[in-house]
Amino acid sequence: MSNYHIKHLEEYFQVYRKSVRNPEAFWEEIAEEHFVWRKKWNSVLDWDFSKPEIKWYEGAKLNITENCIDRHLHIRGNKTAILFEPNNPEEEVQHITYKQLHEKVCKMANVLSEKGIKKGDRVVIYLPMIPELAISLLACARIGAIHSVVFAGFSATALATRINDCGAKMVLTSDGSYRGAKTIDLKGIVDDALEDCPNVESVLVAKRINSVINMVEGRDELLAPLLEKAYGDYPPEVMNAEDPLFILYTSGSTGKPKGMMHTTGGYMVYTAYTFKNVFQYQEDDVYWCTADIGWITGHSYIIYGPLANGATTVMFEGVPSYPDFGRFWDVVQKHKVTQFYTAPTAIRALAKENLDFVTSYDLSSLKVLGTVGEPINEEAWHWYNDHVGEKNCPIVDTWWQTETGGILISPIPFSTPTKPTYATLPMPGIQPVLMDDKGKEIKGNQVDGRLCVKFPWPSIARTIWNDHKRYKDTYFSAFENMYFTGDGALRDEVGYYRITGRVDDVIIVSGHNLGTAPIEDAINEHPAVAESAIVGFPHDIKGNALYGYVILKETGESRNRENLKKEINQMITEHIGPIAKLNKIQFVPGLPKTRSGKIMRRILRKIASKETGNLGDTSTLLNPEVVKKIVDEAL
Ligand code: 6R9
């Protein structure tokens, strides 16, 4: 029996039982047999959720890039590591072999190091989905610098907040990016952001769209000439297992984004292990995850998990609709993709289009289909299963979070029988529990509650950068001795989990987590706005869309409403990014509030979803009269 590679259901149950009975022995064996360590650990796990403090493989030494690159050189040096598919299908594809990747990463590592970046320094990466992005992450890891990738669709304000929060000295970016038929001026956004970032010393710029850009003397340099001169080898920095690998920001329900900090050893072991099992990767497979590396899915399942397994991982620069809605399937056919991993929002968007966009391609190479990011509705699940998988490919509905580092609940294809809309069973080593409102565990099946995990796994985030108290408050305080996920879930009669959605104030729009508070903060900065509240409502393609209730100041009352709506969305675009724009804006005289002053989002959500028949008891509100007014004028 192999603990590392599960091949049938009985084996899954055996491995699972073993992993729960003795998690330390389980994770020790996997770490020992499948990775390269410079020094072994003194202890496998030390943990205390009440502090919270979690340490895996304490005392061990390694470099993750040695595991993701160097150790493959002898056996698969000429195998494609990264297959780059450009935005424009006419542009040439790039096959970057493990050997070439080694050289590119080493060159970049030398460039970073010559620019003064040392172990522990933070480097913000604001790059589109081009090879330089993958190479930058790995180069940081090579020298022990902590990368913090900011999705290259975020605004200057959002970028500046993240740069300052992590205290980055350097930003890596490009002149611009391609997105379908559009180009985006990334360097201009960086320049704007850096006006508020006094600590950034250098900016290295990759050329992608060959636009004329502004270069700030003494701060900005083009990357290509530096790489050309750089030496093609760089000895991997020897890191402690618990040294930080990266910081990745995720939206919180309140205030500023949370810089989730992941460390090296445990993250490597867990992402590699789950990649192997959830996608059943075999040596000659071509694996494609369509996420952006700006999100955790890209970190764990485009870069680290696949490369640690010596896989070929496709990196796609474009969008599913360009040049037409057949693009995904064109790429699958062209590269004979075997595992395809995408988000429900993309599936729903494609399912709206003519079926010819799918059926005109040969998708017979596909073996496993995956989804991630939000609950997948039944209709989308069936469309994916019937038309993309041709009822021949198991769908892995993978549930996890930025905070968890890797997939926690998912079917194992060819082992776990799938069930539409169910993420099914926990991965080995994962102990999910459902809790009730009073903090009691709900045992048994056919129950629902708040989803928690009661034992650590190797890739759990160790802290929120610079804010350990917030880490504790957010994840370890709602339920004693438990990691609280923020999601609700149900467990069916056989013990399968179905994630029902967030139970806090995070709304998932097209797979992006958006905290309501930062959006409200952005709107409230508009001079005509007194107060606002954002809720989600169901949307065919995006899963959820945003509905904003806005109270105007007296001075705003006379303004043209349509112009105000445009200005409010403009404000949001500037502060957060276009993904957070509101689909609907309703101007209201007041917001329903509890006596303690908390906005009753439950009521606003119902109104936005047109479920006004049953608003529940509103009599305890501070201002029940306002509800009727809002309902009457609802959009
Ligand atoms: C990996 C990722 C995390 C939140 C999570 C949950 C939702 C993710 C899901 C899912 C239902 C799935 N979510 N996968 N809900 N089924 N298969 O998406 O990380 O961006 O941090 O989002 O996304 O609500 O709590 P992140």
Side-chain angles (χ1 to χ4, degrees):
M1 186 180 78
S2 153
N3 286 330
Y4 189 72
H5 184 190
I6 295 164
K7 296 191 204 63
H8 53 82
L9 190 60
E10 206 178 304
E11 193 173 79
Y12 162 78
F13 283 118
Q14 280 173 14
V15 172
Y16 184 77
R17 275 195 293 270
K18 192 168 148 187
S19 75
V20 174
R21 221 178 292 130
N22 191 345
E24 296 183 33
F26 177 77
W27 290 115
E28 175 157 47
E29 188 186 311
I30 287 173
E32 224 156 31
E33 289 178 4
H34 299 277
F35 301 90
V36 180
W37 303 86
R38 291 293 184 99
K39 177 181 171 287
K40 289 280 160 68
W41 40 91
N42 304 324
S43 66
V44 179
L45 170 66
D46 294 299
W47 68 292
D48 180 347
F49 274 174
S50 70
K51 282 185 179 167
E53 187 177 271
I54 304 141
K55 289 181 179 162
W56 282 92
Y57 310 114
E58 179 76 330
K61 299 208 182 277
L62 76 154
N63 185 289
I64 196 168
T65 68
E66 194 166 21
N67 282 275
C68 288
I69 307 172
D70 303 52
R71 66 161 159 158
H72 304 311
L73 295 177
H74 294 300
I75 29 177
R76 41 177 91 90
N78 294 321
K79 175 177 175 176
T80 302
I82 295 176
L83 200 171
F84 173 63
E85 169 73 27
N87 177 63
N88 179 352
E90 309 284 306
E91 195 185 316
E92 211 180 320
V93 166
Q94 285 182 42
H95 289 264
I96 303 172
T97 65
Y98 274 93
K99 255 196 205 133
Q100 291 165 331
L101 183 63
H102 178 263
E103 190 185 359
K104 286 175 188 289
V105 168
C106 286
K107 283 184 169 223
M108 183 78 88
N110 277 308
V111 168
L112 297 182
S113 158
E114 278 156 27
K115 288 257 122 207
I117 300 297
K118 297 182 304 295
K119 180 172 175 172
D121 286 345
R122 276 80 63 208
V123 174
V124 162
I125 302 174
Y126 187 72
L127 277 166
M129 284 286 284
I130 56 176
E132 286 86 342
L133 171 56
I135 292 161
S136 302
L137 267 74
L138 293 162
C140 286
R142 187 87 173 171
I143 69 176
I146 303 168
H147 58 73
S148 186
V149 182
V150 177
F151 172 59
F154 274 160
S155 68
T157 317
L159 175 60
T161 309
R162 287 157 177 78
I163 291 172
N164 289 331
D165 187 77
C166 73
K169 290 209 286 194
M170 178 190 268
V171 177
L172 296 171
T173 189
S174 66
D175 52 354
S177 67
Y178 293 119
R179 252 190 106 64
K182 287 192 286 196
T183 56
I184 300 167
D185 171 24
L186 293 184
K187 179 61 169 58
I189 297 174
V190 170
D191 288 345
D192 285 351
L194 292 192
E195 292 194 2
D196 299 321
C197 304
N199 296 329
V200 172
E201 292 162 11
S202 49
V203 177
L204 301 183
V205 187
K207 279 251 174 202
R208 178 57 182 142
I209 63 170
N210 283 316
S211 59
V212 181
I213 47 170
N214 162 50
M215 297 291 278
V216 175
E217 184 76 46
R219 187 194 74 184
D220 303 354
E221 262 180 285
L222 288 179
L223 197 50
L226 298 174
L227 288 171
E228 208 161 291
K229 286 193 303 241
Y231 185 55
D233 200 2
Y234 190 103
E237 183 75 33
V238 179
M239 306 297 286
N240 291 319
E242 280 298 336
D243 279 339
L245 176 65
F246 64 87
I247 299 165
L248 185 62
Y249 286 87
T250 183
S251 310
S253 51
T254 53
K256 55 178 195 167
K258 298 175 285 192
M260 303 314 306
M261 189 191 91
H262 284 280
T263 57
T264 309
Y267 175 82
M268 170 183 78
V269 170
Y270 193 80
T271 54
Y273 178 75
T274 47
F275 173 75
K276 178 73 184 170
N277 285 295
V278 170
F279 298 103
Q280 291 289 308
Y281 186 85
Q282 306 284 334
E283 188 61 41
D284 295 321
D285 287 349
V286 176
Y287 161 88
W288 180 20
C289 165
T290 69
D292 192 288
I293 293 173
W295 312 117
I296 191 69
T297 307
H299 282 58
S300 303
Y301 299 110
I302 295 179
I303 304 293
Y304 291 112
L307 296 180
N309 282 283
T312 296
T313 174
V314 176
M315 196 176 160
F316 175 51
E317 184 187 26
V319 293
S321 55
Y322 179 82
D324 61 42
F325 287 98
R327 184 65 191 278
F328 273 1
W329 321 123
D330 179 35
V331 175
V332 168
Q333 172 180 291
K334 183 156 132 199
H335 301 304
K336 298 198 168 47
V337 169
T338 43
Q339 289 90 354
F340 178 75
Y341 190 27
T342 195
T345 185
I347 299 168
R348 287 191 298 265
L350 295 174
K352 288 242 164 240
E353 302 300 324
N354 194 319
L355 210 51
D356 291 347
F357 283 121
V358 192
T359 48
S360 40
Y361 295 97
D362 175 7
L363 304 182
S364 60
S365 57
L366 289 170
K367 297 195 281 192
V368 176
L369 302 176
T371 97
V372 60
E374 59 186 308
I376 181 165
N377 50 308
E378 197 141 356
E379 211 182 331
W381 194 98
H382 284 295
W383 185 87
Y384 200 27
N385 187 45
D386 295 353
H387 302 298
V388 181
E390 292 164 4
K391 295 198 164 93
N392 227 345
C393 304
I395 294 179
V396 290
D397 178 353
T398 66
W399 172 83
W400 58 296
Q401 309 176 294
T402 305
E403 295 85 338
T404 69
I407 295 165
L408 297 199
I409 305 182
S410 168
I412 291 180
F414 315 110
S415 295
T416 322
T418 59
K419 176 173 176 183
T421 78
Y422 281 74
T424 75
L425 297 171
M427 294 305 292
I430 304 304
Q431 304 188 34
V433 285
L434 297 177
M435 304 295 290
D436 70 14
D437 290 343
K438 298 185 187 66
K440 255 186 65 190
E441 182 176 343
I442 308 167
K443 299 232 164 113
N445 287 344
Q446 284 187 294
V447 291
D448 66 272
R450 285 156 191 249
L451 181 62
C452 294
V453 188
K454 68 174 173 194
F455 196 88
W457 60 98
S459 66
I460 183 174
R462 305 299 195 258
T463 191
I464 292 175
W465 186 257
N466 277 337
D467 202 347
H468 198 67
K469 181 176 180 298
R470 189 173 179 201
Y471 177 66
K472 179 177 173 165
D473 292 347
T474 312
Y475 305 107
F476 298 93
S477 301
F479 303 98
E480 208 185 333
N481 263 319
M482 300 271 172
Y483 166 77
F484 174 46
T485 65
D487 283 331
L490 61 83
R491 192 162 51 218
D492 77 358
E493 63 286 353
V494 300
Y496 274 15
Y497 287 89
R498 176 188 187 175
I499 314 305
T500 47
R502 305 289 309 184
V503 293
D504 57 13
D505 290 338
V506 173
I507 306 169
I508 303 195
V509 177
S510 301
H512 302 299
N513 298 13
L514 300 171
T516 52
I519 304 175
E520 289 161 7
D521 291 347
I523 300 174
N524 297 349
E525 281 198 20
H526 190 290
V529 172
E531 200 183 344
S532 62
I534 305 299
V535 297
F537 69 98
H539 185 275
D540 277 1
I541 291 172
K542 299 177 177 185
N544 293 297
L546 300 178
Y547 192 118
Y549 298 90
V550 176
I551 307 177
L552 291 176
K553 287 185 186 154
E554 242 182 78
T555 49
E557 288 291 347
S558 57
R559 296 276 321 271
N560 174 301
R561 299 294 154 108
E562 289 312 308
N563 288 346
L564 275 175
K565 287 182 184 176
K566 281 195 197 119
E567 288 168 21
I568 287 171
N569 268 329
Q570 186 53 33
M571 242 29 229
I572 295 173
T573 304
E574 277 161 25
H575 283 261
I576 296 152
I579 45 174
K581 282 206 278 196
L582 309 182
N583 262 50
K584 293 184 181 176
I585 300 177
Q586 180 180 355
F587 295 102
V588 293
L591 293 167
K593 289 195 177 168
T594 63
R595 288 180 193 274
S596 61
K598 223 175 175 304
I599 298 171
M600 286 290 277
R601 289 173 198 278
R602 181 176 58 78
I603 293 173
L604 295 176
R605 266 195 289 270
K606 286 205 167 156
I607 297 174
S609 315
K610 302 198 190 314
E611 293 170 24
T612 46
N614 173 24
L615 288 179
D617 182 12
T618 53
S619 64
T620 57
L621 292 176
L622 197 62
N623 49 353
E625 70 292 343
V626 85
V627 176
K628 188 175 174 310
K629 200 111 209 246
I630 299 179
V631 172
D632 287 347
E633 291 171 9
L635 303 172

